Amino acid sequence: MEDLLISKYVKLFELMSLESKIELLSKLTESMKKGFSKKAEPDKKELSRELFGAWADIDDDITELIYSSRTISKRDVNFD
């Protein structure tokens, strides 16, 4: 059903002048903007309470694991 509706609108859109198309796109954009609201800034204190202890179950030797999994390339990089 939506495909049929969209195809009909596309056909109407093709018949319009360039100025009318631009005006329609502008109005559609404004209409869509009204549907979105800006996200509120997160409460940093609440966020820190939620994240507190998130890494508590990680082993202390995690740094050794990270370092051992790294690879080193001896390839020369030339930016010229």
Side-chain angles (χ1 to χ4, degrees), residues 26-74:
S26 174
K27 291 186 183 219
L28 285 171
T29 303
E30 287 300 317
S31 173
M32 290 174 63
K33 284 182 181 179
K34 291 177 185 175
F36 291 103
S37 61
K38 289 186 177 182
K39 289 185 176 180
E41 287 292 320
D43 183 14
K44 292 183 181 182
K45 287 184 180 181
E46 181 64 30
L47 184 59
S48 66
R49 277 188 228 109
E50 289 176 14
L51 295 176
F52 181 76
W55 290 84
D57 59 342
I58 302 298
D59 292 333
D60 290 336
D61 57 335
I62 187 80
T63 54
E64 292 175 23
L65 177 65
I66 292 171
Y67 286 137
S68 66
S69 66
R70 290 184 179 177
T71 59
I72 298 173
S73 174
K74 301 218 182 239

Side-chain angles (χ1 to χ4, degrees), residues 9 11-22 24:
Y9 277 116
K11 287 179 183 177
L12 288 173
F13 193 74
E14 289 172 351
L15 298 174
M16 297 171 74
S17 68
L18 180 60
E19 292 82 17
S20 297
K21 289 178 183 179
I22 292 171
L24 179 61

